[in-house]
Amino acid sequence: MVIFEDKQESELLTEIAVAYYEYEQTQEEIAQRFGLSRIKVGRLLKKARAEGIVEISVKYHPIFSSRIEQQFVNHFGIKRALIALDHQDEEEQRRQVAALVSNYLSSTLKNGMTVAVGQGRNVAAIASHVGVFPEKQCKFICGIGGTQRVGEIIDADHISRSLARKFSATSETLYAPAYVENSELKRAFIQNRVIKDTLERAAKADIALVGIGDMNENCYMVQLGWFTPQEVTYATLNQGVIGDIAGYGFFDINGNPIDTTMNDRVIGLSIEELRNIPCVIAIASENTKATAILGALRSGVIDIIATSASNARTILSLQQNKI
């Protein structure tokens, strides 16, 4: 433990990462060398990845991705399918999917473009992806109001600002909460000229980044306190809701929009406004979301889907079996 206390943590993380990834020493060998437990070494290696000291990029065979992508294009009429290899760790899976979207943005963004930014863990992971990106004279603008979750940075404004820093671009805040208690309060907010103008600019974006949610009594919107477990259960059992786009655009397995008691409480771009944006990129890395992704693809709102290989295979199987 003496070595750990004497060294700066970043220096120690770097030395351990070099020993493991470059010199191919085992975790046991590293533990003995630095006077640490093997469990501690494993945690430090994970932290080195999280802090960007180590960047892992999985390169899969082009034939693998192109075949799956072509099936998605054929079945759903989308522009692209960004498919990441499967990973058992949920956070690492999220990073792998986010890396594909981040690199896609790097090659696609042009000067003068506007990107409407959603909220959530999958969208936030794009902004967190480590790399060197070219400067773009473009704007990132919040497509949904602000929200907060203790311990996680999922707020659209934070994500928008982070993406703007990554590309040396600009960002615009939507000065409103993401969630309000009723539709009357929402209407009052969007009558405000500042809020209305920002939403109108977001609706004219060239690209939108949104997440896809699955619906259950412990889903992310319930954890945030936006909706109650009872409201979600009623929507799924009685109305056939299987997922949402951007946290509030509810749909069934066929992609049809569903009018629920949860509608009109979120201040952000509507499904129809998203539909009019030329390139909507939807991100869903969790392996529980295949059915929700299928419904979202059938909605016709999505132009590019970014997900895992296991989700992709499940979605194609469901589609081929006409579920």
Side-chain angles (χ1 to χ4, degrees):
M1 293 294 180
V2 176
I3 293 178
F4 181 77
E5 292 171 352
D6 290 342
K7 288 179 178 291
Q8 292 289 331
E9 183 171 324
S10 60
E11 181 183 347
L12 180 64
L13 291 175
T14 302
E15 288 192 31
I16 288 175
V18 169
Y20 186 74
Y21 291 104
E22 289 194 13
Y23 297 129
E24 298 184 346
Q25 293 182 356
T26 66
Q27 292 187 23
E28 185 63 39
E29 290 172 335
I30 296 170
Q32 293 176 4
R33 173 183 168 187
F34 288 92
L36 303 169
S37 69
R38 187 177 180 281
I39 294 175
K40 182 67 174 180
V41 170
R43 288 174 180 167
L44 290 173
L45 286 170
K46 186 174 182 179
K47 188 170 186 180
R49 294 196 300 272
E51 295 188 0
I53 293 172
V54 174
E55 183 177 355
I56 299 174
S57 178
V58 177
K59 296 185 181 298
Y60 48 87
H61 198 286
I63 292 178
F64 170 83
S65 60
S66 63
R67 285 178 178 171
I68 292 183
E69 181 169 2
Q70 190 57 52
Q71 290 180 70
F72 269 78
V73 171
N74 292 342
H75 283 298
F76 305 110
I78 61 175
K79 298 174 182 177
R80 292 290 310 273
L82 307 176
I83 310 298
L85 283 183
D86 296 323
H87 201 286
Q88 291 183 343
D89 182 79
E90 186 175 285
E91 287 300 319
E92 183 59 33
Q93 182 72 82
R94 189 173 291 117
R95 283 192 288 268
Q96 294 288 345
V97 173
L100 295 179
V101 180
S102 183
N103 292 331
Y104 177 82
L105 286 175
S106 181
S107 63
T108 303
L109 282 177
K110 301 291 188 297
N111 291 339
M113 280 188 169
T114 298
V115 181
V117 179
Q119 55 88 40
R121 292 171 292 185
N122 284 301
V123 181
I126 301 168
S128 301
H129 176 61
V130 178
V132 178
F133 299 93
E135 180 177 338
K136 301 288 184 180
Q137 295 178 15
C138 59
K139 174 187 280 189
F140 293 89
I141 183 169
C142 295
I144 186 172
T147 190
Q148 185 178 15
R149 178 174 168 82
V150 177
E152 290 186 291
I153 300 173
I154 62 165
D155 180 72
D157 185 49
H158 179 89
I159 298 169
S160 181
R161 291 174 185 269
S162 297
L163 286 167
R165 285 194 296 271
K166 175 184 286 194
F167 290 100
S168 300
T170 61
S171 66
E172 180 175 346
T173 300
L174 176 58
Y175 291 102
Y179 170 83
V180 292
E181 285 70 22
N182 54 63
S183 58
E184 290 78 14
L185 191 53
K186 174 183 175 177
R187 285 193 289 272
F189 266 102
I190 61 177
Q191 286 174 359
N192 176 274
R193 173 51 58 184
V194 174
I195 295 171
K196 185 177 181 181
D197 286 350
T198 298
L199 283 172
E200 287 177 353
R201 283 190 286 272
K204 296 176 182 177
D206 302 284
I207 298 172
L209 300 174
V210 298
I212 296 175
D214 53 345
M215 298 297 290
N216 59 71
E217 61 183 15
N218 194 41
C219 69
Y220 208 54
M221 297 303 103
V222 171
Q223 294 178 35
L224 286 173
W226 289 13
F227 312 122
T228 67
Q230 293 77 19
E231 287 174 326
V232 169
T233 299
Y234 181 86
T236 54
L237 295 181
N238 296 80
Q239 297 182 284
V241 173
I242 55 106
D244 67 80
I245 296 175
Y248 54 95
F250 305 104
F251 52 82
D252 63 17
I253 188 64
N254 295 312
N256 300 313
I258 303 295
D259 186 16
T260 76
T261 59
M262 299 175 286
N263 286 11
D264 291 328
R265 296 195 219 162
V266 177
I267 300 174
L269 295 176
S270 69
I271 290 297
E272 287 309 311
E273 286 171 325
L274 286 172
R275 193 187 302 276
N276 291 328
I277 292 176
C279 182
V280 175
I281 304 175
I283 309 100
S285 63
E286 298 84 353
N287 60 14
T288 59
K289 293 186 175 180
T291 306
I293 297 170
L294 175 61
L297 287 166
R298 288 172 173 171
S299 73
V301 175
I302 295 170
D303 299 288
I304 296 176
I305 183 67
T307 190
S308 66
S310 62
N311 273 342
R313 288 190 292 267
T314 301
I315 291 162
L316 290 173
S317 176
L318 292 172
Q319 175 72 1
Q320 289 162 2
N321 289 316
K322 302 186 185 304
I323 293 177

